[in-house]
Amino acid sequence: METEIIRIGRAGLDREEFTEAEEKALLRAGEIIRVGGLVAFPTETVYGLGGDALNPGSSRRIYAAKGRPSDNPLIIHIDRFEDIYRIAGQVPEAAVRLAEAFWPGPLTMILPKAPEVPPETTGGLETVAVRLPSHPVARRLIRYGGGYVAAPSANLSGRPSPTVARYVIEDMQGRVEAIVDGGEVGIGLESTIVDLTVNPPQILRPGYVTEKKLAAVLGQVAVDPAVIAPGGEAPRAPGMKYRHYAPRGELVIVEGEPGKVAAYVNSRAAEERAAGHRTGAIATKEMHGQYGTDVVKYIGNREDEETIARNLFAVLREFDDEEVVKIYSESFSSEGLGQAIMNRLLKAAGHHVVRV
Ligand code: TXA
Ligand code: MG
């Protein structure tokens, strides 16, 4: 399949208005979705792989394009709040309050599903995941695509979610009708998922909308224990059980005082080098100069969690071009946005943590 690449200029994104040529291209992309095709597009969290959520054939094609197991449900993206009533069987008052506080934005709500949503889209579940994103390209495409766009992250199953179009092209060229390139995403980690079908509501996947922000609106909010803990209980968001985000080298998180972390990483790196293996480190600004690994990737300033979140998936992907066998990462605080960062990092490392 020939994949069309549609480029949206920075000016349009900043002003939230597009040139005539861009509008036409987005209309065409929406039409592709309406007739059962797939279009990858930017959102404020990560790039999504969009298809018509009410068309079972589109959902089947999404699973095939990603190589994703079909029991892993998709998030339905909408462009207007009132559209929720067609896909959710019940919209509790808490959902309305969350929407007022965080939509459009990086929050997904789990609600009972309406009959019209095909089981292919929800992986056979009786619940549905709904999100109203804020990215201007995503909004246009959802509207032009018929109003209900199922969109998982636009990566091959198991790989880090794409934060720039280059990585979408790497994974999806030849598998989808079109890819909309809208530059780098703002947040870099997927949306927070909160399940409103249980009491108290439960966070199934941490993200930019933190536990604290949710609690301020909901009063009480629980966190699925599988979010940070290794193994044990099965996570309640089916997708969270799969090996995820994993780079080709083996990732190890090293936790401890900065000096000890550097000493540990450097001694392991020396051993690997003696065995003829290349190694890498994921480093904060504070530690950047201290690693003797073959490759050092800078992830941001320790104090600036937003930048670390935005860079994490790109750094994991960049390591795939480096032929390293071991990658060492510093650990981060699991408060606030750090909860989402550590959740993704732990999954990428298969929960391999060394305390020094
Ligand atoms: O930020 C995002 O949410 C991105 C962008 C493209 O919007 N999308 C995204 O989709 O991350 P995906 O498919 O990569 O992750 C969706 C997660 C999976 O872990 C899935 O199991 C969970 O949401 N999920 C979807 N529907 C669910 C449901 N009804 N109950 C529980 N978990 C659900
Ligand atoms: Mg994903």
Side-chain angles (χ1 to χ4, degrees):
M1 178 191 307
E2 178 101 30
T3 300
E4 182 189 358
I5 312 287
I6 298 169
R7 294 213 156 76
I8 305 291
R10 190 69 249 168
L13 294 172
D14 292 340
R15 281 184 285 106
E16 303 204 3
E17 52 188 60
F18 303 105
T19 63
E20 209 181 306
E22 288 169 342
E23 274 294 345
K24 277 202 180 129
L26 289 173
L27 275 165
R28 203 165 61 240
E31 180 63 21
I32 291 172
I33 290 178
R34 281 175 195 265
V35 300
L38 304 184
V39 178
F41 61 98
T43 82
E44 69 278 23
T45 56
V46 298
Y47 273 75
L49 173 58
D52 179 359
L54 304 182
N55 177 345
S58 297
S59 294
R60 273 188 234 110
R61 279 202 57 203
I62 290 176
Y63 292 117
K66 279 181 66 84
R68 170 173 177 154
S70 58
D71 67 344
N72 188 359
L74 307 174
I75 296 173
I76 303 184
H77 296 67
I78 56 176
D79 175 50
R80 303 175 306 182
F81 178 78
E82 57 269 31
D83 292 341
I84 200 173
Y85 294 100
R86 182 161 165 205
I87 50 174
Q90 203 198 326
V91 180
E93 196 241 326
V96 177
R97 276 188 285 128
L98 285 178
E100 274 166 7
F102 304 113
W103 279 2
L107 178 71
T108 296
M109 300 187 217
I110 307 291
L111 299 168
K113 96 175 189 54
E116 201 168 338
V117 181
E120 284 80 359
T121 301
T122 62
L125 296 178
E126 284 307 312
T127 53
V128 64
V130 191
R131 169 160 119 81
L132 201 168
S134 64
H135 195 290
V137 169
R139 298 291 293 280
R140 285 289 207 292
L141 194 63
I142 294 163
R143 197 176 325 141
Y144 298 160
Y148 298 93
V149 173
S153 49
N155 51 283
L156 288 173
S157 189
R159 301 207 72 200
S161 302
T163 51
V164 290
R166 178 161 43 93
Y167 296 141
V168 181
I169 294 169
E170 213 173 273
D171 283 12
M172 290 298 153
Q173 189 148 42
R175 295 171 171 258
V176 300
E177 277 78 5
I179 297 172
V180 184
D181 178 350
E184 190 181 6
V185 301
I187 293 174
L189 298 178
E190 308 88 341
S191 61
T192 305
I193 301 179
V194 63
D195 184 355
L196 296 180
T197 68
V198 292
N199 197 3
Q202 195 178 39
I203 297 173
L204 306 188
R205 179 173 74 183
Y208 188 82
V209 178
T210 59
E211 183 181 348
K212 200 168 154 192
K213 288 189 216 163
L214 288 171
V217 174
L218 293 171
Q220 210 190 345
V221 63
V223 182
D224 183 350
V227 158
I228 293 288
E233 252 177 283
R236 297 192 47 245
M240 301 294 277
K241 72 176 179 263
Y242 297 106
R243 186 173 156 79
H244 246 108
Y245 314 127
R248 292 202 182 99
E250 187 188 335
L251 175 65
V252 181
I253 301 171
V254 187
E255 201 176 274
E257 280 174 29
K260 286 189 180 161
V261 169
Y264 174 85
V265 170
N266 292 340
S267 83
R268 297 313 303 262
E271 281 170 33
E272 293 289 351
R273 185 170 299 133
H277 298 155
R278 277 162 62 80
T279 56
I282 296 178
T284 55
K285 181 165 176 235
E286 291 75 3
M287 298 280 287
H288 196 238
Q290 298 188 40
Y291 293 115
T293 50
D294 299 289
V295 184
V296 180
K297 300 268 183 204
Y298 174 60
I299 192 166
N301 180 332
R302 185 162 276 280
E303 302 302 305
D304 177 7
E305 287 186 322
E306 300 209 353
T307 302
I308 291 173
R310 194 179 319 115
N311 289 339
L312 177 62
F313 288 151
V315 164
L316 291 175
R317 277 209 183 231
E318 282 172 20
F319 270 116
D320 286 350
D321 300 327
E322 295 287 355
E323 310 263 325
V324 295
V325 300
K326 282 269 172 60
I327 304 162
Y328 303 94
S329 174
E330 295 168 33
S331 182
F332 299 94
S333 137
S334 50
E335 299 289 304
L337 184 55
Q339 189 178 50
I341 295 170
M342 279 311 285
N343 169 263
R344 306 310 193 274
L345 195 58
L346 283 162
K347 283 160 80 63
H351 287 273
H352 187 174
V353 182
V354 174
R355 291 188 181 80
V356 295

